[in-house]
Amino acid sequence: MIAQLTIAERRLALAILVAVALCGLLLTIAGQGDPIGVHGLMFLVAGAVGIFVVIAGYLSPEPSAERLQHYYDEPTKFGIVMAMAWAVLGLFVGDWVAWLLVYPELTFDAGWASFGRIRPIHTTGVIFGFGGNALIATSFYVVQRTSRARLPDQLSPWFVLLGYNLFCLIAVTGYMMGITQSKEYAEPEWYADIWLVVVWVTYFILYVRTLARRKEPHIYVSNWYYMAFILVVAILHIVNNLAMPISLGQAKSYSAFSGVQDAMTQWWYGHNAVAFFLTAGFLGMMYYYLPKRADRPIYSYRMSIISFWGITFFYMWAGSHHLHYTALPQWVQSLGVTFSVMLLVPSWASAGNALLTLNGAWDKVRDDATLRFMMVAAVFYGLSTFEGSFMAIRQVNALSHYTDWTVGHVHAGALGWVAMITFGAIYATVPWLWKRKAMYSAGLVEVHFWLALAGTVIYVFSMWNSGIIQGLMWRTYNESGTLAYSFLDSLVAMRPYYIARAIGGLLFLIGALVGCYNIWMTIRAAHLHDPAADSSVPVPAPALQPGE
């Protein structure tokens, strides 16, 4: 990696790492006796290790100017490997959490293993670790191919990926120590949030610089979605995490908002994290990889653009549907319902566009599990967006809110849409990057597909049943006008569904492990059988091609 940097970039890398190490040292000293001191030490160690690595390779020959004629894919390779590592961690902890609801003693009387601490490890590991690394890695791959432009430098992509994974590590270790803002999908405290802003702004600038260098005059729609994902997530993160720390030596901070304003800001962020992190970014992935794998042009390019602007505008105002029957003003709740229902149009336009693209290629869907991952993702995207619009209606929300129906809805999107399109994109990209004709084992891709699909269906159907039964039990009255069932009665009734949910999660986890093995063997085969894998033989990077 260091040999790929110019001398100027190596010097800049040293300066950045020294700054990171010094900030870590200051946090370590100021945070003695507070959990922030542990994270300060982690920043210090990360900076020190980075300095050692850069110095070790500092005197390597500078890369030749010929590199500028080729795509820069090393960061994408790293991002894919990290995405799969986080997938396994996040899914393992998620299944642990699921079994914890069946067998509460699985905390082993350890504070760090309580539900409230390991549940955000699951959400952060899957959404930000797995999903975030996959989005960053594929965005680097796609923007180069669709723009016929190399990433503008070698240092920024590594800073983005390494800095982002350091943030994820800080977040999950903080949860185990009890550090949290208690905000859904925004649990890390102020110092981690500041670090992520630095990383994310660098990512945004890097992406814009790459597009500015494009040799293809048209900006393909995937880049529109990726840019919306990067830009809007930055805005959401900064606004929702405005806070005042108690001191520079303490992890605890207080939000700039209070009461119902804080709740509204949080769910403006929370729902748009779904909209622009878990939807827009992955639509960018879908609009490149599905047509590419099917070897078919997108069914309607115009529809994809209309869908982009519809999603970008409508989604921004839908977050208040999370706060029905609260102190939030009625008109704001109604606004959330209105835009949530309107969202069905651009959302189904994208899902339909993807499925119609497969016209004339259904034989490939039958024979190619990688393309089947993408097809099923489009189906689940259409399903979960319809369900989301339906659940936003106030009368439906009265039954569904606070129940497992919401959990089923979230995982129909997270497992059926986000994970499926990501696995499909990774299975398509790995052979391209490591110059193999196909994955190590097409059979294992099949096994992974069916395990993932079975796990998703079992999970989602168990939670749909559980949630509706919960909602009905909580609103059933006897002849005297009192509740017919206690809350404990509803918990007892949920136990078989929780067991089914945990089994479904276990199948999905096993599928991810199969995928990791298949990817590892593909990379290993590339190294063992490719003559260019000999370190003494220069390996040509993919040359710049006409826009794909």
Side-chain angles (χ1 to χ4, degrees):
M1 180 179 76
I2 304 305
Q4 298 168 357
L5 305 181
T6 64
I7 297 299
E9 287 172 337
R10 294 171 199 177
R11 290 172 181 164
L12 180 56
L14 281 175
I16 293 171
L17 290 166
V18 168
V20 170
L22 287 175
C23 289
L25 179 61
L26 291 174
L27 284 178
T28 303
I29 295 171
Q32 293 183 37
D34 190 89
I36 196 175
V38 177
H39 282 160
L41 184 60
M42 291 173 65
F43 276 110
L44 175 59
V45 170
V49 170
I51 291 169
F52 177 80
V53 171
V54 173
I55 290 176
Y58 189 82
L59 297 179
S60 300
E62 192 166 4
S64 68
E66 185 186 354
R67 75 186 187 282
L68 301 177
Q69 304 305 314
H70 304 281
Y71 297 129
Y72 188 42
D73 287 330
E74 296 305 313
T76 298
K77 292 180 179 180
F78 175 79
I80 287 173
V81 171
M82 290 305 301
M84 293 306 297
W86 279 106
V88 171
L89 173 65
L91 292 170
F92 169 76
V93 176
D95 201 49
W96 181 9
V97 170
W99 285 110
L100 195 62
L101 294 177
V102 181
Y103 302 106
E105 63 273 15
L106 289 178
T107 58
F108 310 111
D109 286 331
W112 63 268
S114 61
F115 181 93
R117 295 196 185 187
I118 64 174
R119 187 262 179 181
I121 295 176
H122 162 60
T123 54
T124 297
V126 172
I127 296 173
F128 300 115
F130 170 51
N133 274 287
L135 286 169
I136 295 170
T138 57
S139 70
F140 288 164
Y141 184 91
V142 170
V143 72
Q144 293 183 91
R145 268 72 183 176
T146 55
S147 303
R148 286 194 298 143
R150 178 186 168 93
L151 295 175
D153 65 81
Q154 292 78 223
L155 179 59
S156 297
W158 287 110
F159 175 76
V160 170
L161 276 164
L162 293 172
Y164 182 76
N165 280 280
L166 178 58
F167 163 79
C168 292
L169 184 62
I170 292 293
V172 298
T173 54
Y175 305 150
M176 290 191 287
M177 292 187 289
I179 299 175
T180 177
Q181 290 189 101
S182 300
K183 291 187 173 185
E184 185 76 344
Y185 311 136
E187 290 92 347
E189 273 288 1
W190 61 273
Y191 53 94
D193 291 333
I194 292 173
W195 173 247
L196 183 59
V197 169
V198 174
V199 171
W200 209 256
V201 169
T202 304
Y203 181 25
F204 175 73
I205 294 171
L206 172 62
Y207 209 86
V208 171
R209 289 171 64 203
T210 307
L211 287 174
R213 292 160 50 89
R214 70 185 186 278
K215 297 181 179 66
E216 188 70 29
H218 184 75
I219 299 177
Y220 182 61
V221 67
S222 284
N223 295 314
W224 289 54
Y225 280 102
Y226 278 124
M227 276 296 294
F229 144 68
I230 300 167
L231 177 61
V232 178
V233 166
I235 296 169
L236 297 169
H237 173 78
I238 291 170
V239 174
N240 190 49
N241 289 293
L242 292 174
M244 178 63 70
I246 293 176
S247 75
L248 296 180
Q250 291 182 281
K252 179 64 181 172
S253 66
Y254 289 99
S255 173
F257 310 100
S258 62
V260 72
Q261 289 83 8
D262 191 37
M264 183 63 251
T265 305
Q266 159 57 28
W267 282 111
W268 168 77
Y269 164 89
H271 195 76
N272 284 300
V274 174
F276 291 94
F277 201 101
L278 297 178
T279 299
F282 291 97
L283 282 172
M285 193 184 291
M286 183 193 75
Y287 272 116
Y288 178 83
Y289 284 99
L290 188 143
K292 188 75 175 173
R293 187 73 181 191
D295 198 22
R296 302 282 299 173
I298 195 73
Y299 172 75
S300 171
Y301 194 76
R302 179 174 296 178
M303 189 187 297
S304 70
I305 297 298
I306 293 172
S307 176
F308 168 81
W309 286 111
I311 288 172
T312 302
F313 180 71
F314 292 161
Y315 244 128
M316 190 63 72
W317 313 106
S320 58
H321 71 224
H322 288 265
L323 297 169
H324 286 321
Y325 305 104
T326 67
L328 197 70
Q330 187 84 352
W331 71 268
V332 181
Q333 299 178 35
S334 299
L335 187 73
V337 175
T338 304
F339 279 98
S340 297
V341 174
M342 291 165 67
L343 262 173
L344 194 58
V345 176
S347 297
W348 271 32
S350 284
N353 208 0
L355 294 174
L356 289 169
T357 298
L358 297 173
N359 280 346
W362 288 105
D363 58 318
K364 295 181 180 179
V365 176
R366 179 194 64 210
D367 300 332
D368 183 2
T370 297
L371 186 57
R372 210 178 312 129
F373 267 110
M374 302 179 196
M375 181 275 292
V376 169
V379 171
F380 268 100
Y381 176 65
L383 172 68
S384 57
T385 51
F386 169 78
E387 186 184 21
S389 296
F390 183 64
M391 292 172 70
I393 298 170
R394 189 176 284 106
Q395 289 75 10
V396 179
N397 196 267
L399 174 68
S400 70
H401 206 49
Y402 303 118
T403 73
D404 291 329
W405 186 355
T406 302
V407 179
H409 165 60
V410 168
H411 284 81
L415 301 180
W417 156 237
V418 170
M420 290 289 193
I421 191 64
T422 302
F423 287 136
I426 288 175
Y427 279 134
T429 308
V430 167
W432 298 341
L433 285 177
W434 275 275
K435 300 180 178 59
R436 306 300 296 166
K437 291 182 179 179
M439 290 296 297
Y440 167 75
S441 170
L444 289 179
V445 179
E446 284 280 352
V447 170
H448 183 186
F449 171 79
W450 290 111
L451 283 170
L453 181 59
T456 301
V457 170
I458 292 171
Y459 191 116
V460 172
F461 271 88
S462 65
M463 290 297 95
W464 281 344
N465 280 277
S466 170
I468 292 172
I469 291 172
Q470 275 180 326
L472 292 174
M473 290 181 74
W474 293 349
R475 62 196 298 174
T476 300
Y477 295 88
N478 56 31
E479 294 179 356
S480 63
T482 60
L483 289 173
Y485 303 100
S486 68
F487 183 73
L488 188 59
D489 291 333
S490 69
L491 285 179
V492 173
M494 294 309 105
R495 195 171 194 275
Y497 299 108
Y498 286 175
I499 293 173
R501 187 248 300 267
I503 292 172
L506 181 60
L507 291 176
F508 206 92
L509 170 61
I510 294 171
L513 290 170
V514 170
C516 285
Y517 174 76
N518 205 1
I519 291 167
W520 166 249
M521 292 302 292
T522 304
I523 296 171
R524 184 171 179 268
H527 181 74
L528 291 176
H529 300 121
D530 190 349
D534 183 351
S535 59
S536 64
V537 179
V539 181
L544 301 184
Q545 300 293 327
E548 299 177 5

